[in-house]
Structure formats: structure tokens, C-alpha cells
Amino acid sequence: MYSINPAKRVQALPPYVFARLDELKARAREQGLDLIDLGMGNPDGATPKPVVEAAIAALQDSTNHGYPPFEGTASFRKAITDWYFRRYSVKLDPDGEALPLLGSKEGLTHLALAYINPGNLVLAPNPAYPAHFRGPLIAGGKVHSILLKPENDWIIDLADIPDSVAEQAKVFYFNYPSNPTGATAPREFFQDIVTFAKKYEILLVHDLCYAELAFDGYQPTSLLQIPGGKDIGVEFHTMSKTYNMAGWRIGFVVGNSNVIQGLRTLKTNMDYGVFSALQLAAKTALQLPDEYLSQVQERYRQRRDFLIQGLGKLGWNVQKTMATMYLWVPCPPGIGSTDFALSVLQKTGVVVTPGNAFGSGGEGYVRISLIAECKRLDEALNRFKKAGIYYQ
Ligand SMILES: *Cc1c(COP(=O)(O)O)cnc(C)c1O
């Protein structure tokens, strides 16, 4: 037999905890178990009707059928910067400071390839969204993970980064509101991280995919609102979450034009950009009235409150999240993340994600996604009760 192995950059990737969970999910399904899957960050709602209709109309127009422009259509880039101004009162140049992506995960990972040489030091929190450390690993970078602590509300403590590490670091990935912890960071944190990045000349990569999934009047901060943020950073956005467009694969990056140019140069050698019809659909999404936004926010807020209250009756004291579609829930004392998630799945058919899937710093927690109606969440809680799954 041939023995042709994948490249080291593939072999070096830590195993995906999700794979084991997937296997068990498949087995449970075969046994006819009615799974309640709260494991993925995959929104359960439909893409808004006006967006689907715009896509259908765009599909029927043959001028959209060829290769799209590498840098994205001018009209979508303009829609991005208009949306950005409306949300954050910051003016961006649609010609150099905005670039459509095939989903933000693609951009986050390709940015690593565009900016990280083998051996370069990259800062990333732990736990984190996997692309924030796996992208740098694929590029051959060395990741210095910053352990997040519950006593610091899961906010990065910049004082934890030794000077010698900061001096060597080239890129810093971070994400607030955070997946997986649901944490939000105050504006002062953003000011501090900009000062830090300027001092050590580090490229800041902020993932703001939960820009609009915020509750109770909370408005997430954009890196580009902070004076100096655009000098030293870029920010990734997605259509996947707010607009229920996860399967469509479209997002965008905004920020420093030189950095975006570097990413664009790499991408022109790898892909042809986003299908023009899809860019028209995404433009429609960004232009939806705020009423749509309120509905989405209200739906997740209700689920958050419902689940926090229900878990409270089972002994969990879960703090209210101000944003995201996740609850970050401690495992009962004495059981690890993977074992707890597997035991919950086997005893109840409810899928939650073990916290260590997001790095060692997530050990001791599971992430529960608010991606089912309250009725299903209620069913999940009832199964917990019946199976004797409590926090004790
Ligand atoms: C869901 C999510 C994304 C979205 O990725 P897309 O590729 O745009 O679908 C990006 N970052 C984080 C932290 C996420 O949770």
C-alpha cells in the first residue's frame, strides 16, 4: 500500500473533540434517540425572507453568473461600510477598508497564512474559537495561549502576558462578545489592548461575529471605534449568526487597509471571492430594518432567561450573558468536560459541547447553544431532572 501522509501542518493539529461527539451522536440517532442538539453554534432559524428573495432574483440575473471581482462587488462593500457607520458611527473606505469573505472562518484562517511565518509567536486566549489558534498553527506559528479565568469574568488579563512574550508576538487574536464563554469586555479593555498592541507592534485581529446578538440594551464594542484601533487592527464580521445565514458562507473583514491588502493578495491566489448573487443577498440583510434585529435579539434573550432559570432549579448558578447565543456552564464538581458531555448525551440525548474543545482553559465547563425553542429547552431540562443531572 502507498503510505502518503498529510503534511506536518495537518498532522500537528490537535484532535477535534467534536469528532468523538459526532460519532456518539450518530450512534444515539441509530438507536432512535430523539436528540436535542445544543452542541453547535448553528442558528436554528430561517434566513429572513427578503434575503432569500433577493438571492432568488440575483440568481435569475445572468450578469451574476461569472467570476465575481476578487475584492467583492462595489455595492456590497458600500453596504458593509454604510452598515458599519450606522452601527458604530465610524467612517470606513469601501475601497480598501472592507473585504467580503467566504465566511469569517475562512478569513480568520487565511489571515494567519498571510501574516504568520513559521515560528512567529501568536497570542490567543484559551479557551477560544478554534480558528483563532488553529489558523496560526496551520501557518506554522507558535501560539502563546493566555489562560482566561472565571474570577476575571473570562476577560483577557494583559498583565498575564510576560514582556518577553509580548516583545516577540506578531499577531493577537481575540473575540468579545466571546464564543465559547459568552463574556463581554468593557470599552476600557479595548483601549488597553490597543495601547498594548501599539507598544509592542502587534497586529490585532478582533472577531466580532456577535456584533448584533446582544441583549438588554448592551451594544458590543468594535475595535475600530477605539482611537488608534484601525492603525493596528482588523475586525471580522459574519452574516451567519444574526441573519441565520451560516450555510451561505459569507462574512467580511474591516479595518486597516494594508492588512486587508495582504489578506487579499493571498486570497487572489486561493479563491475567486464570494458569488455575486450571494453578495446581493447579504447586502439586503445588512439593510434590513432594526425591527428584524429586535426580533432576533428577543428570541435569544427569551431562551437565555428560560434556560438560566431552569438550570437554576437544578442547582446551577449561571450568570446572565449580555450577548452571544451560548451559556458557559460549569460541570458538576469531580467530573471533566468530556465525561460530563458524554454522560449527558448518553443519559438524556441532549448534546452540549465539552469546554475543552476550545482549549485546555475550557476544562471544567460545557457550552450550551441557545439554538432551540424554549419548548425543546424545557424538554432538555426535564430529561436532566429525570436522569438526575444536577449541579451538586
Ligand atoms: C460562528 C462564529 C464565526 C462565524 O464563522 P463564519 O465562517 O462566518 O460562519 C466566527 N467566529 C466565531 C467566534 C464564531 O462563533
Side-chain angles (χ1 to χ4, degrees):
M1 275 312 284
Y2 298 109
S3 64
I4 302 171
N5 295 319
K8 287 200 184 93
R9 74 177 69 86
V10 172
Q11 292 182 30
L13 290 170
Y16 233 77
V17 177
F18 290 104
R20 171 112 196 270
L21 211 61
D22 267 1
E23 216 177 277
L24 284 159
K25 263 160 59 176
R27 206 175 309 153
R29 276 209 187 90
E30 275 165 24
Q31 289 166 2
L33 212 65
D34 169 32
L35 288 188
I36 303 178
D37 194 345
L38 310 177
M40 294 275 289
N42 194 0
D44 57 314
T47 303
K49 217 167 167 197
V51 178
V52 173
E53 277 161 5
I56 291 170
L59 277 174
Q60 275 159 349
D61 177 355
S62 65
T63 60
N64 292 322
H65 293 176
Y67 287 118
F70 281 116
E71 69 278 11
T73 63
S75 89
F76 183 46
R77 278 184 281 111
K78 173 86 170 29
I80 291 170
T81 54
D82 285 351
W83 170 84
Y84 193 83
F85 183 72
R86 221 168 58 241
R87 279 282 166 277
Y88 301 105
S89 310
V90 175
K91 280 212 164 105
L92 295 172
D93 177 6
D95 287 332
E97 295 178 334
L99 180 70
L101 301 167
L102 303 159
S104 57
K105 186 179 187 183
E106 175 264 302
L108 287 159
T109 305
H110 277 149
L111 184 89
L113 281 180
Y115 279 86
I116 298 164
N117 286 313
N120 281 167
L121 197 62
V122 179
L123 301 171
N126 179 7
Y129 178 65
H132 299 165
F133 55 91
R134 286 169 185 266
L137 289 176
I138 290 168
K142 277 195 290 197
V143 177
H144 174 89
S145 51
I146 307 157
L147 197 64
L148 303 181
K149 293 168 281 194
E151 61 270 26
N152 204 33
D153 297 326
W154 306 99
I155 296 168
I156 296 167
D157 188 348
L158 295 169
D160 284 348
I161 305 165
D163 249 4
S164 57
V165 169
E167 273 158 12
Q168 283 181 50
K170 183 168 181 190
V171 182
F172 195 159
Y173 279 81
F174 70 113
N175 156 235
Y176 291 106
S178 154
N179 174 12
T181 65
T184 50
R187 203 182 166 95
E188 297 78 62
F189 168 79
F190 282 81
Q191 283 158 349
D192 292 347
I193 202 169
V194 167
T195 306
F196 176 90
K198 286 198 151 181
K199 177 175 174 196
Y200 294 105
E201 284 193 59
I202 300 172
L203 166 59
L204 289 180
V205 180
H206 185 226
D207 183 346
L208 188 49
C209 62
Y210 299 101
E212 295 177 308
L213 287 191
F215 322 115
D216 309 328
Y218 174 71
Q219 163 84 62
T221 304
S222 161
L223 173 65
L224 309 183
Q225 283 177 304
I226 306 300
K230 200 171 76 179
D231 299 338
I232 200 90
V234 287
E235 187 165 79
F236 286 82
H237 290 261
T238 182
M239 307 302 297
S240 297
K241 307 289 161 62
T242 314
Y243 304 101
N244 294 329
M245 292 176 76
W248 298 57
R249 310 312 304 136
I250 183 162
F252 54 90
V253 59
V254 288
N256 188 277
S257 59
N258 291 327
V259 178
I260 288 178
Q261 181 57 44
L263 174 59
R264 203 186 126 188
T265 302
L266 179 84
K267 275 173 60 63
T268 45
N269 290 280
M270 303 196 97
D271 63 60
Y272 283 100
V274 182
F275 182 23
S276 302
L278 239 170
Q279 294 188 56
L280 279 162
K283 175 182 160 185
T284 304
L286 290 180
Q287 293 173 343
L288 286 173
D290 286 348
E291 213 173 279
Y292 167 76
L293 213 56
S294 321
Q295 281 170 21
V296 175
Q297 291 166 341
E298 183 54 19
R299 188 161 74 230
Y300 285 110
R301 189 197 61 74
Q302 277 177 10
R303 293 172 179 182
R304 174 200 68 175
D305 291 349
F306 184 84
L307 199 57
I308 287 179
Q309 198 190 29
L311 286 169
K313 287 184 193 146
L314 298 175
W316 268 278
N317 177 17
V318 181
Q319 263 200 350
K320 264 194 186 170
T321 42
M322 299 304 284
T324 77
M325 44 195 264
Y326 309 108
L327 295 186
W328 185 239
V329 176
C331 304
I335 182 166
S337 294
T338 309
D339 287 344
F340 182 59
L342 293 180
S343 132
V344 167
L345 174 59
Q346 277 156 356
K347 288 183 187 159
T348 67
V350 178
V351 185
V352 300
T353 303
N356 59 7
F358 307 98
S360 57
E363 183 49 68
Y365 288 79
V366 292
R367 189 193 70 180
I368 307 182
S369 300
L370 304 169
I371 52 171
E373 299 294 350
C374 289
K375 235 168 85 185
R376 287 295 274 173
L377 297 177
D378 194 36
E379 166 71 15
L381 289 165
N382 283 332
R383 291 188 197 174
F384 273 38
K385 207 161 143 189
K386 248 195 228 151
I389 295 171
Y390 300 101
Y391 184 80
Q392 56 189 5

